Amino acid sequence: MQRHLISRSAAAAAVVLAVVLGTAGIASAHVSVSPSSTEQGSFTVLTFRVPNEKDSASTVGVTVTMPAGEPLAFASVKPVPGWTTEVTKAAPAEKVEVEGITVDQVVTQVKWTGGEIKPGEFQEFSISAGPMPKADQLVFTATQTYSDGSVVEWNQPTPASGEEPEHPAPTVQLTAAAAGSDGHGAKAGKATITPISADVATHDDVEAAETRGTVGLVIGVAGLLVAVIALVVASRKKSSGSSDSAA
């Protein structure tokens, strides 16, 4: 009886743990960009998080294509140990000026190769770019190449209904510059360099929030296991008491 109870309790705990951890994995199992929102006219560090979704292959190449219709006048890439970076530039379709200076070449694509994201791992790739254009959003295309030769394109925009597509494109929402700010977009001579607003979430803020969530998850699972153990101990004591009375 005791063994049966222990087995059932352990199985219940395993199911709860699998559901909780499985749900967390599903929510983050696609290429995303942070921050998810920033201010028009600002310079922002855009961090692309790339998880490996395959059990039998590693990610060996990542390419981020910039929005063609909303060129970013300036972009610089943060080195990633073990990876080689290739930056592609081209002339913008429209004239771009920043602080009275005409920008004749803008970054159109950044490619990382030579590294490896193994199954169960993820990597982050950062680009410092700006000024953010005077638009509602920036929609990027991310291409993920695997060691088995397969390629996944993260390029599907999220529809108005809000239902996430199978391969959502990394997207940053852009908000209007704060009152009194000189921030403008990067189109047709209207761009002005401004600092990142203090109320814009940084990548560190996102990391801290995710860490707190992970700690909470671990504490919750630990509490569940303690409750299961307490239940088993109480059952064993009850059974022992019953045996003594019978004797």
Side-chain angles (χ1 to χ4, degrees):
M1 176 66 179
Q2 292 179 4
R3 290 182 179 178
H4 181 63
L5 178 59
I6 293 173
S7 298
R8 291 181 60 184
S9 301
V15 169
V16 173
L17 179 61
V19 170
V20 172
L21 296 180
T23 301
I26 292 172
S28 60
H30 56 72
V31 175
S32 60
V33 60
S34 64
S36 59
S37 175
T38 191
E39 190 176 276
Q40 296 171 359
S42 69
F43 271 79
T44 304
V45 176
L46 304 170
T47 298
F48 296 86
R49 174 169 292 184
V50 182
N52 191 86
E53 293 190 307
K54 294 198 171 191
D55 296 329
S56 58
S58 297
T59 296
V60 294
V62 176
T63 301
V64 171
T65 301
M66 314 297 272
E70 301 293 346
L72 298 171
F74 299 104
S76 57
V77 181
K78 181 179 180 179
V80 180
W83 293 78
T84 299
T85 306
E86 180 183 344
V87 178
T88 301
K89 296 183 178 181
E94 298 182 25
K95 180 181 179 181
V96 176
E97 290 186 1
V98 179
E99 294 288 353
I101 300 175
T102 300
V103 179
D104 55 8
Q105 293 282 307
V106 296
V107 174
T108 57
Q109 191 176 81
V110 181
K111 185 177 183 179
W112 292 269
T113 56
E116 180 182 21
I117 308 174
K118 298 178 181 179
E121 298 180 349
F122 72 91
Q123 183 58 270
E124 293 178 331
F125 305 88
S126 297
I127 301 172
S128 178
M132 294 294 115
K134 193 172 183 179
D136 294 332
Q137 62 182 9
L138 286 178
V139 181
F140 299 86
T141 296
T143 303
Q144 185 173 12
T145 303
Y146 285 91
S147 57
D148 61 4
S150 60
V151 177
V152 179
E153 296 283 352
W154 301 91
N155 58 2
Q156 298 174 335
T158 301
S161 63
E163 182 179 356
E164 188 174 81
E166 182 178 1
H167 297 106
T171 303
V172 177
Q173 302 298 324
L174 300 178
T175 60
S181 171
D182 292 330
H184 298 287
K187 297 177 80 174
K190 294 183 179 180
T192 301
I193 298 176
T194 58
I196 299 175
S197 173
D199 61 356
V200 175
T202 65
H203 178 60
D204 290 340
D205 295 331
V206 175
E207 286 290 346
E210 291 179 347
T211 299
R212 289 194 294 270
T214 301
V215 172
L217 175 63
V218 172
I219 292 174
V221 172
L224 174 63
L225 294 178
V226 170
V228 171
I229 294 171
L231 178 62
V232 172
V233 171
S235 176
R236 296 179 69 177
K237 287 183 177 179
K238 182 178 179 180
S239 298
S240 178
S242 298
S243 298
D244 292 342
S245 297

